[in-house]
Amino acid sequence: MDIRQIFGNNLKHYRTLADLSQAALAVKMGVDRAHVSSMERGQQNVTIITLWHVAQALNVEPAALLEDSVSS
């Protein structure tokens, strides 16, 4: 599976666990909701800084967002 899809699936998984909407996560990260949606669909090549911001907003380790088995 493409790493962007793995990241997107994990992002959605942890966002749902945190009971956050895409809009609420976007506010916490300081980005647009459409950007969160695009990341979840695996359409973004996120930077390491964006990875860090997502992890901080969701209170997870950055590596957890890249694990292939999290959302399976």
Side-chain angles (χ1 to χ4, degrees):
M1 185 182 299
D2 186 286
I3 190 66
R4 292 168 296 188
Q5 192 64 50
I6 292 168
F7 173 79
N9 289 344
N10 291 338
L11 167 54
K12 184 174 183 176
H13 171 79
Y14 286 115
R15 178 181 60 77
T16 302
L17 281 179
D19 198 28
L20 292 171
S21 66
Q22 288 181 344
L25 178 59
V27 168
K28 287 182 83 167
M29 291 178 59
V31 299
D32 189 78
R33 186 213 52 85
H35 186 61
V36 173
S37 175
S38 183
M39 287 189 292
E40 284 188 359
R41 287 179 285 144
Q43 296 179 332
Q44 291 289 321
N45 285 322
V46 300
T47 65
I48 195 86
I49 297 299
T50 301
L51 173 67
W52 175 255
H53 287 287
V54 170
Q56 292 295 298
L58 294 174
N59 198 31
V60 299
E61 290 294 321
L65 294 166
L66 301 175
E67 291 179 14
D68 196 12
S69 61
V70 170
S71 60
S72 298

